[in-house]
Amino acid sequence: VRSEGPKLVPFFKATCVYFVLWLPTSSPSWFSALIKCLPIFCLWVFLLAHGINFLVSHRSASRILAGLIFSAVGDAFLIWQEQGYFIHGLLMFAITHILYSSAFGMKPLDLKAGLLMGLVSSSCYAFLYSYLSGPFTYLVAVYIALIGFMGWRAVAGMQLCNDLWTWTKLSACIGAMLFMVSDLTIALNKFCFPVPYSRFIIMATYYAAQMLIALSAVETRDEEDFRKRS
């Protein structure tokens, strides 16, 4: 907390600006896109503050940074989703989940966690299926599969049962779960029925998820610092 907390102050301030201004979604503009993306820009700065050499030498951190870049582009597209850019935003976040999954890695495999996430993802899609039509029938299926896979890799990396977890792996796990909650709320609100306070739920869980996933990128840095002190 002492080492990483101060670097996140701009993120918290930018998030407060978003919720205080609470710009209406009915009149999209480049200014509203900037305000929405500003917290994610601050997470770019958070990772860049650890040094370019750190990002270059640690692929997981650089992939999370790339995921944050695609997330910001996706956020911008979703500002104009009523003008036909929802699918564009969906594509950007699909790429984000692929990058995050790659950052979390495939070890340990943890097939039990994979089965659990598969069941959760399948249940969500089964519920949404009757509300979907046209290209969304398969686009949503692919997207749910990708975010479910990302959630599996985050949960598998935590290794809670083996007492091998660290606070950064826990951050990745919680972040992935919050991302799933945010996206599920979007899907329910868009395709099924109005969700009370949907925008607040979506954005609060989304910003928290991105912050926690960004925090997980400093895992290798912590290990290096510990070895140096030892």
Side-chain angles (χ1 to χ4, degrees), residues 70-105:
F70 278 99
S71 293
V73 177
D75 282 331
F77 276 130
L78 292 181
I79 287 288
W80 286 277
Q81 61 177 293
E82 299 302 327
Q83 285 71 36
Y85 288 95
F86 181 81
I87 292 179
H88 299 72
L90 198 69
L91 176 60
M92 293 299 103
F93 280 107
I95 295 172
T96 294
H97 296 318
I98 293 172
L99 288 165
Y100 286 169
S101 300
S102 178
F104 298 149

